[in-house]
Amino acid sequence: MSRRVCVIGGGSSGLTSIKCCLDEGLEPTCFESSDDIGGLWRFKENPEADRASIYHSVIINTSKEMMCFSDFPIPAHFPNYMHNSLIMDYFRMYAEHFQLTKHIRFQIRVLQVKPRPDFSRSGQWDVETENKKGEKEKHIFDAVMICIGHHCHPNLPLHDFPGIDKFKGQYFHSRDYKTAEEWRGKRVVVIGIGNSGGDIAVELSRVTKQVFLSTRRGAWILNRVGQQGIVWKSPFCMAQSVLPFGLVCRLGENKINQRFNHSLYSLQPKHRLFSQHPTVNDELPNRILSGTVQVKPNIRRLQGSSIEFDDGTVEDNIDLVVFATGYNFSFPFLPSNMLPVSGNKANLYKYMFPPGLERPTLVVIGLVQPLGAIMPISEMQARWATRVFKGLNKLPSMDCMLKDIKHKEETIAKRYVTSQRHTIQVEYIDYMDQIAYQVGARPSLLGLFLRDPGVWLCVLLGPCTPYQYRLRGPGQWDGARQAILTTWDRMAGALKTRPSDIPEPKQSSLLLTLTVGAAALALGYYWNIHNHPSLLIALDPTTWQDKIKPYLPVLW
């Protein structure tokens, strides 16, 4: 008999968990409390309790090539940065292609998940659910995948804002914000300079009389549009693993300050670039420049309709305060002692497995905050988890898991400013590689160098697309190679919406690409012939030049 798996939540993490269960021959049943898939990305006019909620204009901060599931590329005609409605379209395509929806039971809420009396032997779980009519049902599952995300419970720290209880205007959390129009001509304060705070401040500033953006620490502002209009990707990904942290930060800070001087715009933080999750916003500098957004320090107190800031300035006649102050997460359906959450922290091995369970049949999927998209990470986590459920992969001892958790906490404490948003922070490439290693799907650069130099060059110098984790190992996808080689085609294709006879300008980055590529080739060539003289003939430079040449335009 196939093992039955309970998937809690039908958002992006839940969808890919269902698919990974099917890939491994498991039998998934997904319980989704709403009437549709999509989770965070499903826009609703009215926020619903205990569910994620977004505003109408939300556009994702990662490009389509970096956010897609690894064996299902986003269509070429979709824009590189997608509106939430297009993300939903993609999820529906994914669900239809892999026939996932038939495994989802909608409008079913999970009330309780607890280990069965014989858990130490069977690893099974009792799951109690309730439908929209209030009818309860009990189930037995061999494993549980929790895919509820971490944007459901708003963090509203009213105790930090004296006088808020007597404030004459309105206030609410950013999850309750939908559109700007109703605030036309008003004076608004937005608290928090994360991605939501920045977006909402910019959008409101187009119709309001004045927006004040309050931030305690400031922030480094990144932009979607990179050099020459190309989709932005960090050029420091590889550098972070080999260069000193301070040097990498300085290089990055100098680069983004060339766009606009953060100190001049009152945004300069004391922390380094990679010590906080950065804010992505192309429009904020322009709104500050035009005066429609004014950057302010933290709020000291509220008095009637006036707000006093820490620098002593006072702004009167404030109509609205928006708290873009993040979220808390919890697992209310689990026994309180099984996975306690304190200070937005939960002890999870690799942010997934509770280390104290006798059987590794419970996993949390998608409880991370990467500089990048969550979708490929959730997919990789689900690929590993389903193999653990089947007994194909083993977890280390509890002591090893606890040491890993402690090391992770110490690393975060040293690198990031103290904030609840950094308790689940991960480095995208490093974390993906860690989990892919467990699955057996991490690409081998040396192996690619020897077998497929064109793909090797794309993986080495191009963006770290999810497709590279389908080149080998369990779950290998025959289309991965072609998806990697055509990444640029899909990126550029979405921009070419008008025929033009004007030749494209020569890409200045080509020389750098060729130089770095040649240096990498030379280093790899030298290492191989020095350690493996028998490969000298196979690594003839003339042959390799002919093999690599067709793929170089992909990296422009």
Side-chain angles (χ1 to χ4, degrees):
M1 294 178 61
S2 61
R3 298 190 178 187
R4 300 182 67 238
V5 179
C6 171
V7 178
I8 305 176
S12 60
S13 296
L15 289 175
T16 196
S17 292
I18 297 170
K19 196 257 183 184
C20 290
C21 283
L22 297 173
D23 288 345
E24 292 294 344
L26 304 174
E27 184 183 336
T29 298
C30 175
F31 297 112
E32 167 56 45
S33 61
S34 72
D35 59 359
D36 200 0
I37 63 172
L40 171 68
W41 294 101
R42 183 174 60 92
F43 174 78
K44 297 279 285 188
E45 288 289 348
N46 299 307
E48 299 171 328
D50 298 326
R51 295 198 190 110
S53 177
I54 57 174
Y55 38 100
H56 184 271
S57 61
V58 168
I59 294 174
I60 198 165
N61 286 329
T62 49
S63 70
K64 65 179 182 181
E65 295 301 311
M66 298 298 292
M67 65 151 280
C68 66
F69 296 117
S70 61
D71 56 357
F72 195 74
I74 293 172
H77 67 279
F78 276 37
N80 287 291
Y81 289 96
M82 299 192 296
H83 184 262
N84 59 83
S85 60
L86 291 176
I87 294 174
M88 282 297 297
D89 288 346
Y90 173 66
F91 287 162
R92 296 193 197 285
M93 294 176 191
Y94 181 75
E96 181 180 356
H97 182 79
F98 294 109
Q99 300 182 30
L100 306 180
T101 310
K102 64 183 181 181
H103 300 280
I104 305 176
R105 295 181 60 183
F106 292 104
Q107 296 184 302
I108 301 291
R109 187 163 62 101
V110 174
L111 299 178
Q112 190 177 58
V113 175
K114 61 181 181 180
R116 303 208 76 213
D118 63 345
F119 179 80
S120 60
R121 178 183 59 82
S122 68
Q124 291 182 325
W125 299 85
D126 284 323
V127 177
E128 184 179 11
T129 60
E130 182 181 51
N131 64 20
K132 63 180 180 179
K133 297 179 181 179
E135 299 168 341
K136 297 180 180 180
E137 187 177 359
K138 293 186 177 181
H139 319 260
I140 298 174
F141 287 98
D142 298 295
V144 176
M145 305 178 81
I146 301 174
C147 309
I148 60 175
H150 50 91
H151 292 94
C152 293
H153 308 295
N155 175 46
L156 200 60
L158 299 182
H159 58 276
D160 292 336
F161 297 89
I164 189 67
D165 55 327
K166 297 180 180 179
F167 178 57
K168 292 182 178 180
Q170 289 184 249
Y171 69 86
F172 52 70
H173 191 272
S174 57
R175 79 182 297 273
D176 296 317
Y177 172 81
K178 293 301 176 181
T179 62
E181 188 57 37
E182 64 180 298
W183 304 105
R184 181 172 293 275
K186 305 297 185 180
R187 288 167 59 83
V188 179
V189 173
V190 177
I191 301 173
I193 198 170
N195 288 309
S196 294
D199 283 351
I200 293 172
V202 165
E203 185 166 292
L204 283 169
S205 70
R206 298 192 185 101
V207 301
T208 55
K209 186 175 182 179
Q210 183 64 59
V211 170
F212 302 97
L213 180 57
S214 171
T215 170
R216 286 178 297 173
R217 286 187 291 262
W220 296 103
I221 310 298
L222 305 183
N223 54 304
R224 295 182 178 93
V225 182
Q227 188 174 0
Q228 299 182 0
I230 305 301
V231 173
W232 185 90
K233 66 181 181 68
S234 172
F236 306 106
C237 293
M238 289 187 292
Q240 289 185 46
S241 61
V242 295
L243 297 179
F245 178 76
L247 176 59
V248 175
C249 288
R250 180 173 293 277
L251 291 172
E253 291 159 8
N254 289 342
K255 180 68 175 178
I256 63 177
N257 268 328
Q258 289 175 9
R259 179 180 173 231
F260 74 95
N261 187 307
H262 282 58
S263 178
L264 182 64
Y265 280 62
S266 300
L267 289 171
Q268 179 82 41
K270 293 181 179 180
H271 59 262
R272 306 307 303 270
L273 172 60
F274 295 110
S275 292
Q276 185 181 34
H277 193 85
T279 298
V280 179
N281 198 303
D282 290 71
E283 299 182 69
L284 182 58
N286 180 58
R287 307 313 294 181
I288 296 173
L289 192 66
S290 63
T292 55
V293 172
Q294 290 187 23
V295 180
K296 289 286 190 178
N298 195 40
I299 292 175
R300 180 177 295 170
R301 66 175 63 89
L302 297 90
Q303 294 177 308
S305 60
S306 299
I307 293 182
E308 181 183 353
F309 297 92
D310 279 348
D311 61 355
T313 59
V314 177
E315 297 296 339
D316 299 317
N317 302 316
I318 301 299
D319 300 289
L320 171 67
V321 176
V322 180
F323 285 84
T325 45
Y327 295 83
N328 300 311
F329 63 84
S330 63
F331 310 100
F333 43 76
L334 290 177
S336 58
N337 62 343
M338 177 166 292
L339 190 52
V341 178
S342 176
N344 244 28
K345 295 180 182 179
N347 279 348
L348 291 166
Y349 177 60
K350 302 298 183 187
Y351 300 92
M352 294 174 61
F353 292 98
L357 290 182
E358 296 172 281
R359 298 284 180 177
T361 56
L362 177 77
V363 68
V364 180
I365 302 294
L367 189 65
V368 292
Q369 176 70 58
L371 177 53
I374 192 69
M375 295 79 168
I377 288 181
S378 293
E379 179 189 42
M380 186 61 70
Q381 290 179 328
R383 290 172 67 183
W384 182 28
T386 51
R387 292 181 62 79
V388 170
F389 293 163
K390 288 185 67 175
L392 299 174
N393 290 117
K394 303 292 184 182
L395 297 183
S397 67
M398 185 171 72
D399 285 344
C400 289
M401 288 192 279
L402 291 174
K403 287 179 181 178
D404 185 87
I405 293 170
K406 183 179 180 181
H407 174 71
K408 172 255 297 180
E409 291 179 347
E410 292 173 348
T411 301
I412 287 178
K414 289 179 181 178
R415 173 167 172 176
Y416 295 100
V417 297
T418 303
S419 170
Q420 69 173 27
R421 72 187 303 199
H422 294 132
T423 57
I424 51 175
Q425 191 77 25
V426 298
E427 293 295 326
Y428 176 83
I429 296 177
D430 177 63
Y431 185 75
M432 286 285 282
D433 280 348
Q434 287 183 40
I435 307 303
Y437 175 78
Q438 302 293 334
V439 175
R442 187 171 69 181
S444 166
L445 287 177
L446 178 59
L448 284 174
F449 178 74
L450 296 174
R451 296 190 310 271
D452 199 333
V455 172
W456 170 78
L457 197 61
C458 291
V459 171
L460 182 68
L461 301 180
C464 182
T465 57
Y467 318 122
Q468 70 181 54
Y469 298 101
R470 291 284 183 177
L471 288 169
R472 62 188 290 264
Q476 180 178 345
W477 175 46
D478 292 339
R481 181 181 186 276
Q482 185 64 18
I484 291 171
L485 296 177
T486 55
T487 295
W488 170 251
D489 295 335
R490 288 185 299 277
M491 292 168 60
L495 298 172
K496 296 183 177 298
T497 56
R498 180 181 72 88
S500 175
D501 296 330
I502 301 175
E504 294 184 25
K506 186 177 181 181
Q507 300 290 331
S508 61
S509 60
L510 176 59
L511 179 60
L512 176 62
T513 297
L514 292 174
T515 302
V516 175
L521 282 172
L523 180 61
Y525 176 72
Y526 172 79
W527 185 89
N528 278 284
I529 63 175
H530 183 267
N531 293 278
H532 305 283
S534 60
L535 296 176
L536 182 59
I537 298 177
L539 298 176
D540 176 62
T542 305
T543 304
W544 280 84
Q545 182 181 5
D546 293 338
K547 289 183 177 182
I548 291 174
K549 190 181 299 181
Y551 305 106
L552 288 176
V554 175
L555 302 174
W556 294 5

